[in-house]
Amino acid sequence: MATKLSTGGSMPSVAFGFWQVPGDKCSEVLEAAIDAGFRCLDCAAIYGNEAEVGEALSKVFASGKVRREDLFVVSKLWATDWHQVGAACDKSLRDLKLDYVDLYLVHSAVGVDASAGLDALGRKVRAKVPVHKLWQDMEALVRTGKAKSIGVSNWSCLQIADLMLYAEIPPAVNQLEIHPTFSCEELAQWCLSEGIAVMGYCTLGSGKPDMTSELVLQAAKRLNVSSAQILMRWSQQKGYIPVTKSMSLERMRTNLSLGFELSAEEMKALDGLDGGLPMKIATMPESSAFPYTVEATASARRNQPFERASRRVEGSK
């Protein structure tokens, strides 16, 4: 099962994430993920383990278990690298020991100037890189063959709508925190309506009541599956690509066993669990200032030119 991208290519419908996978466990975990059947690997420079993932990939390729073309590898540009997109991508490629990534995402909604320290109020200083320049540098990665597709993560619909006014290569993906108690429904569905695929991280609602919700437990009992499978299938039926992670081969295999269907009633009930911003896992201060709704974006389009997002977003996953 695959998800079609606006680039004409496609990507697997489930991704394995390397967020918080210890470096010394990457080889074991990556090989287990491959054995379980995962073919989409979600990485990022800020995760701090791309070099170890690269070593593991080299071993897997050498073993003949998979070929490079069998995998869909994702990496991301961190907030402090908005001024050096090419160099940052080159480093990820060196660390991952790859000639290209299948998808390269702008990881955060705003850039940060690490050399500027903090402002008078103790806040990180935004990078003085306009989004149109940032996106030109991202597009250059596609033109030079370093990335097959490009996209964003943690971006609002206003930011994306602004970007799409001048992008020659539109974003193929927006990766967002998505789970029933923080569904990001309007933004995610708007992205789909614009032909932008949606990857959902924090799929199991770590630290939130998603896994233990009575509605989730009831559905799991009816279908004889785990709560994790229910949450992942909910994400898939919404049209998203869930990102999951486990250190257990058995759970990895279970997480890929999604050949069942939640009823319309169950989907509606799970949709009703949305808890709003307090249920969010990844910390993004002031993100509520972004117009996440379709209505807000429609209004912004009627009142062009767009106001570029100017709020800080720190600590994005």
Side-chain angles (χ1 to χ4, degrees):
M1 187 175 174
T3 298
K4 199 76 174 174
L5 299 179
S6 60
T7 55
S10 61
M11 66 181 295
S13 59
V14 182
F16 187 89
F18 282 87
W19 167 241
Q20 293 186 330
V21 174
D24 61 355
K25 294 291 184 183
C26 282
S27 182
E28 172 189 340
V29 168
L30 185 143
E31 187 169 355
I34 295 297
D35 289 343
F38 284 95
R39 293 296 180 266
C40 181
L41 307 177
D42 184 61
C43 308
I46 195 63
Y47 296 171
N49 55 14
E50 285 194 328
E52 291 81 2
V53 171
E55 291 291 341
L57 283 172
S58 293
K59 291 178 184 177
V60 169
F61 294 149
S63 73
K65 283 188 176 183
V66 291
R67 300 165 300 170
R68 171 64 185 94
E69 56 266 33
D70 296 327
L71 298 182
F72 190 99
V73 181
V74 182
S75 186
K76 307 181 190 77
L77 176 81
W78 187 236
T80 53
D81 288 326
W82 275 35
H83 65 295
Q84 52 180 12
V85 173
C89 183
D90 285 345
K91 184 177 188 308
S92 283
L93 290 176
R94 287 195 302 272
D95 287 345
L96 293 168
K97 300 186 184 303
L98 299 175
D99 295 326
Y100 68 91
V101 289
D102 298 274
L103 177 64
Y104 196 62
L105 304 177
V106 180
H107 203 159
S108 59
V110 296
V112 172
D113 184 349
S115 66
L118 303 178
D119 66 14
L121 297 178
R123 301 170 303 186
K124 293 179 180 179
V125 177
R126 292 189 61 219
K128 293 180 173 63
V129 179
V131 174
H132 71 85
K133 176 62 169 65
L134 168 73
W135 199 250
Q136 286 174 355
D137 292 343
M138 290 290 288
E139 291 174 331
L141 301 178
V142 177
R143 296 191 175 103
T144 56
K146 295 177 182 179
K148 298 289 187 182
S149 299
I150 50 177
V152 297
S153 180
N154 303 305
W155 281 39
S156 73
C157 53
L158 177 55
Q159 289 174 292
I160 295 172
D162 180 22
L163 169 64
M164 290 172 69
L165 289 175
Y166 45 79
E168 294 182 10
I169 303 174
V173 169
N174 189 11
Q175 187 178 117
L176 303 162
E177 176 178 339
I178 295 178
H179 47 95
T181 62
F182 190 81
S183 67
C184 225
E185 172 81 7
E186 289 183 310
L187 173 56
Q189 291 298 319
W190 176 83
C191 286
L192 294 181
S193 75
E194 294 289 327
I196 301 168
V198 174
M199 294 180 73
Y201 65 81
C202 295
T203 303
L204 306 186
S206 176
K208 300 300 179 183
D210 301 70
M211 289 276 281
T212 56
S213 163
E214 188 60 33
L215 294 171
V216 172
L217 295 174
Q218 288 173 5
K221 182 177 181 180
R222 180 183 76 81
L223 292 161
N224 193 29
V225 297
S226 68
S227 292
Q229 287 170 286
I230 293 296
L231 295 173
M232 292 183 67
R233 185 59 185 151
W234 170 84
S235 183
Q236 280 193 333
Q237 286 184 222
K238 299 289 288 184
Y240 315 143
I241 301 159
V243 180
T244 185
K245 179 189 72 178
S246 176
M247 306 293 277
S248 161
L249 175 59
E250 186 55 40
R251 282 198 296 273
M252 290 179 192
R253 287 175 173 156
T254 299
N255 287 346
L256 282 175
S257 299
L258 302 175
F260 57 88
E261 196 81 4
L262 291 165
S263 69
E265 292 76 16
E266 287 167 332
M267 289 295 293
K268 184 176 180 180
L270 293 178
D271 287 347
L273 290 175
D274 183 49
L277 192 60
M279 304 306 291
K280 195 161 173 41
I281 295 168
T283 304
M284 292 200 297
E286 302 184 29
S287 62
S288 59
F290 293 130
Y292 281 100
T293 68
V294 176
E295 289 77 11
T297 299
S299 174
R301 278 179 163 163
R302 288 192 297 270
N303 294 285
Q304 293 179 3
F306 290 98
E307 174 189 355
R308 279 195 169 74
S310 59
R311 299 282 183 169
R312 292 175 179 80
V313 177
E314 302 172 2
S316 304
K317 179 186 165 299

